[in-house]
Amino acid sequence: MKSFILAVLLVCFGFNGFSQKEMPLAQRLKWWQDSKMGLFVHWGPVSLIGKEISWSREGYGAAKYDSLYRRFNPKQFNAKEWVALAKASGMKYIVLTAKHHDGFCLFETKTTDYNIMNTPFGRDVCKELADAAHEANMPICWYFSVADWKDPDCRDPKMNAVFAERVLEQVKELLSNYGKISLLWIDFEGWPSPVAPKKVFDLARKLQPDIIINNRLEPFTPDESHGYVGQYSDYATPEGFVAGYSKTAWETCTNMGHQWAWKFGDHPRSLKESVHTLLRCVGGNGNLLFNIGPDSSGVFPRDFAARSREMGSWIAKNEQAIYGTKGGIYTPAQNYVSSFKGNRVYIHLLNAAQAELMLPNIPAKVKNAALLDGTKIDFTQSNAGLKISFPKDKIDSIATIAVLTMDRNVSTLSPIIPFSATGSIAYGKTASASSSVGQFYHDPAAAFDDNPKTSWKIGRRKDVDFDQLFGKNIHYQSEAVLQLYEPSGWLEVDLGKPQRIGKIKLGESKYSNSEIKKFKVEYLAGKNWVSLAEGDKMGDWNKEIKPVTAQKFRLVISAYHGYFGVNEFELFPPAK
């Protein structure tokens, strides 16, 4: 009797078997990080016109766009064929746009009539795909936009609270009606989430305790959506590019073609570019979410499906260097990336015209070097570096992979950066800043990595209650959002020991309507910062200075507009 009463109390107070103890982050992420690549699917009635999903709505005409669903009838849609293509392509999970910013739902919902059940097709796409995925032991995941450009209640001062409850109900439906959902891919479309991030996050974890959730509930800018991992997220999501290396979990989402949704006359990227995109994600310690848009009949274009399978065939021959590995120990360079597992380091040579590779030395002994097929290869290890010679008749036109067997497990070693391409004394040195946008891609180290595609960006003000701004109709380009970031800041590098400096080079990322208006470079002398040089406009700034010897140097930004980025802060010895 006592046990019965206890059970009733537990249920009444919400302590049911479905709400179990949350799994630790590393454990929750492991299957996904081991998987390396997933299939991203952007699809909906917009495939009838071959334009971009959601983003074409205004230009095409909102009324016309919103009426497309009335003739959406993808009779050739076959969920099992979609799953089979993903598996044949080496993709280990599927992410489908259950609802994009346009508000159309590919699932049966009680919250709106604007859903797949009210099309001529009349079948729940999410259910059929989830069933097929579960049958094939393929993790199924939902992309979900918390915004809705069709719903007038979204971010309306009087009605947004009602809208937010509808969104939470949609999340509940998606995470309750389709079995195990492995990942929830939230999107950001330029405005703060209309729903409090904590509510979405907590609901998702309650309904699916093991679920992985990306970082796009909390951003106020695109920069944050790429690199900021807040308290209601598990990983970062750079979009359209591979940013570099990070121990922070991340996943690049990009297209195999040239538009998220199906497009007339589109063509897939080459096999080499597709594979290199994956390998750069693997070498950077991240994942790739590779998008293909089905056409309005529900079929993936023939040339995209062929390229995808071709990619899968290449991966199958090299899978031991990809799946279940970590990125490193060598961080990505222009002509190589690396991955590792236990005492094995995989060097992926990306330049087919190159047969020799010189790497920085690794603080472990190389016992053996061979290709994946077992062919022995020559190597020389010394204090100067590690030289690997690939057999010319074994060079793969896509990528050639060498396996280095080490004398120890290399997971305890620190990442080894490539030789500097610029010769900057500040390259790879310890960096810090007054604030930054995120832990990845826009962090302080991004200005000292010889990579102009990454940049340090100033971070949020600490005197603002950002939680009060969710649901507000404030676009990231508005002054209201621009004012949420620190009005000034500094970026610092510690050279490790005093060095003599005679030249400074600064690089500013080029963003429209953004610029650094006032800055100076300082060095630490004793306990005081001393000015070395200053300027009113940065751009690509290059200046020789009267030589100074110091260990710490600092760039101080005192005036700027927009979302500037410092992509390089380089220091050089005096000219001889």
Side-chain angles (χ1 to χ4, degrees):
M1 183 68 179
K2 288 182 179 179
S3 59
F4 173 77
I5 295 173
L6 177 61
V8 171
L9 288 172
L10 289 172
V11 171
C12 289
F13 286 97
F15 297 102
N16 53 61
F18 205 42
S19 299
Q20 53 189 275
K21 186 177 180 181
E22 185 176 308
M23 186 184 295
L25 177 61
Q27 187 178 344
R28 192 166 64 249
L29 291 177
K30 188 179 187 308
W31 75 264
W32 173 76
Q33 290 183 308
D34 286 347
S35 298
K36 298 305 176 190
M37 181 168 64
L39 173 64
F40 210 2
V41 182
H42 282 68
W43 194 45
V46 71
S47 59
L48 289 163
I49 57 175
K51 296 184 180 294
E52 188 58 284
I53 192 167
S54 300
W55 298 98
S56 65
R57 180 174 180 264
E58 185 175 347
Y60 183 70
K64 286 196 302 177
Y65 184 101
D66 295 344
S67 298
L68 290 172
Y69 80 104
R70 294 173 182 165
R71 54 188 181 94
F72 185 51
N73 192 14
K75 293 182 179 179
Q76 296 182 53
F77 167 68
N78 185 314
K80 291 186 178 181
E81 290 181 359
W82 282 24
V83 174
L85 177 63
K87 297 195 84 166
S89 305
M91 298 165 174
K92 301 294 188 180
Y93 53 101
I94 298 174
V95 181
L96 173 69
T97 52
K99 188 192 83 171
H100 209 270
H101 311 316
D102 58 13
F104 182 76
C105 298
L106 282 173
F107 59 99
E108 183 174 5
T109 175
K110 297 177 181 179
T111 64
T112 176
D113 292 335
Y114 192 44
N115 72 74
I116 191 68
M117 304 307 290
N118 292 315
T119 67
F121 187 60
R123 287 159 45 191
D124 189 333
V125 169
C126 287
K127 184 180 189 308
E128 293 187 23
L129 189 59
D131 288 347
H134 290 142
E135 183 180 330
N137 199 29
M138 169 78 73
I140 186 68
C141 319
W142 303 137
Y143 164 110
F144 182 79
S145 174
V146 288
D148 187 332
W149 294 347
K150 182 177 181 294
D151 193 327
D153 292 345
C154 180
R155 299 190 180 96
D156 177 88
K158 295 181 179 179
M159 297 301 296
N160 188 69
V162 176
F163 170 78
E165 289 303 313
R166 275 200 296 275
V167 171
L168 292 171
E169 184 60 31
Q170 290 172 348
V171 172
K172 183 178 180 181
E173 291 172 334
L174 282 169
L175 300 185
S176 300
N177 299 339
Y178 303 99
K180 181 177 177 59
I181 304 303
S182 297
L183 184 149
L184 183 61
W185 208 101
I186 302 293
D187 205 0
F188 167 79
E189 31 76 76
W191 290 262
S193 169
V195 190
K198 186 178 188 304
K199 290 185 176 182
V200 178
F201 187 85
D202 287 351
L203 177 61
R205 284 279 156 76
K206 176 184 176 182
L207 298 173
Q208 299 274 349
D210 298 344
I211 200 167
I212 297 169
I213 303 172
N214 74 338
N215 68 322
R216 297 196 177 188
L217 275 169
E218 299 167 84
F220 281 73
T221 70
D223 291 331
E224 289 192 340
S225 76
H226 297 154
Y228 175 73
V229 181
Q231 62 179 320
Y232 305 120
S233 60
D234 295 324
Y235 68 96
T237 53
E239 181 172 329
F241 57 87
V242 181
Y245 174 89
S246 179
K247 289 189 176 181
T248 297
W250 62 273
E251 173 191 66
T252 278
C253 59
T254 194
N255 284 297
M256 183 177 282
H258 302 82
Q259 183 171 281
W260 293 111
W262 177 83
K263 178 182 180 181
F264 287 105
D266 200 5
H267 61 274
R269 301 180 192 277
S270 70
L271 175 62
K272 183 175 182 179
E273 183 179 357
S274 298
V275 171
H276 281 200
T277 301
L278 169 62
L279 295 183
R280 288 199 174 278
C281 289
V282 171
N285 202 38
N287 279 33
L288 172 62
L289 188 56
F290 219 8
N291 181 77
I292 308 175
D295 62 23
S296 60
S297 71
V299 175
F300 291 104
R302 184 175 300 174
D303 52 349
F304 280 81
R307 173 71 74 245
S308 194
R309 289 191 179 95
E310 188 180 14
M311 189 177 180
S313 296
W314 190 93
I315 293 170
K317 298 173 185 177
N318 300 277
E319 62 180 8
Q320 70 166 280
I322 297 171
Y323 302 123
T325 65
K326 294 289 186 183
I329 289 298
Y330 292 101
T331 62
Q334 184 175 356
N335 57 346
Y336 69 84
V337 300
S338 80
S339 55
F340 72 91
K341 182 191 299 183
N343 70 333
R344 289 191 164 195
V345 177
Y346 301 94
I347 306 298
H348 308 243
L349 178 65
L350 305 180
N351 184 358
Q354 185 176 356
E356 287 191 345
L357 195 59
M358 188 67 176
L359 305 171
N361 194 23
I362 182 170
K365 184 180 178 180
V366 180
K367 296 172 61 179
N368 181 59
L371 299 181
L372 287 177
D373 66 3
T375 302
K376 299 291 184 181
I377 58 178
D378 295 330
F379 68 94
T380 303
Q381 186 176 19
S382 67
N383 290 335
L386 176 62
K387 183 179 179 181
I388 303 173
S389 299
F390 293 81
K392 291 183 179 180
D393 61 342
K394 291 280 191 174
I395 296 294
D396 187 302
S397 62
I398 305 300
T400 308
I401 302 175
V403 187
L404 307 180
T405 303
M406 313 303 295
D407 66 348
R408 72 191 73 174
N409 187 317
V410 299
S411 61
T412 58
L413 301 182
S414 298
I416 303 170
I417 61 177
F419 292 118
S420 176
T422 63
S424 169
I425 295 173
Y427 171 67
K429 295 298 190 293
T430 302
S432 58
S434 54
S435 65
S436 60
V437 159
Q439 305 90 327
F440 173 57
Y441 182 55
H442 294 312
D443 61 320
F448 303 98
D449 61 359
D450 278 4
N451 183 355
K453 295 181 180 179
T454 63
S455 60
W456 167 68
K457 288 176 173 284
I458 210 161
R460 295 179 173 188
R461 285 170 49 185
K462 298 176 179 61
D463 60 343
V464 174
D465 185 356
F466 282 80
D467 288 342
Q468 299 301 312
L469 300 175
F470 293 110
K472 304 296 183 184
N473 189 14
I474 48 175
H475 190 262
Y476 78 92
Q477 292 179 328
S478 67
E479 283 298 321
V481 175
L482 287 168
Q483 295 301 317
L484 299 177
Y485 295 83
E486 295 286 359
S488 61
W490 50 262
L491 173 66
E492 184 180 313
V493 62
D494 185 339
L495 303 180
K497 62 181 180 180
Q499 301 262 34
R500 191 163 174 78
I501 303 299
K503 183 180 178 180
I504 305 168
K505 288 183 70 174
L506 302 172
E508 180 180 2
S509 300
K510 296 175 175 62
Y511 297 96
S512 59
N513 302 317
S514 297
E515 64 174 338
I516 295 172
K517 295 183 175 182
K518 193 172 183 180
F519 67 93
K520 63 180 177 179
V521 178
E522 303 173 328
Y523 69 96
L524 186 62
K527 295 183 178 181
N528 300 314
W529 287 97
V530 180
S531 179
L532 269 177
E534 57 185 55
D536 296 325
K537 187 175 183 180
M538 183 178 290
D540 292 325
W541 190 84
N542 189 337
K543 188 177 181 65
E544 293 191 6
I545 59 169
K546 182 179 179 180
V548 298
T549 300
Q551 180 173 326
K552 294 184 178 181
F553 291 80
R554 180 179 281 189
L555 170 64
V556 179
I557 310 295
S558 53
Y560 71 92
H561 183 265
Y563 301 106
F564 77 87
V566 176
N567 54 34
E568 291 303 325
F569 181 2
E570 298 173 349
L571 302 173
F572 301 91
K576 295 182 179 179

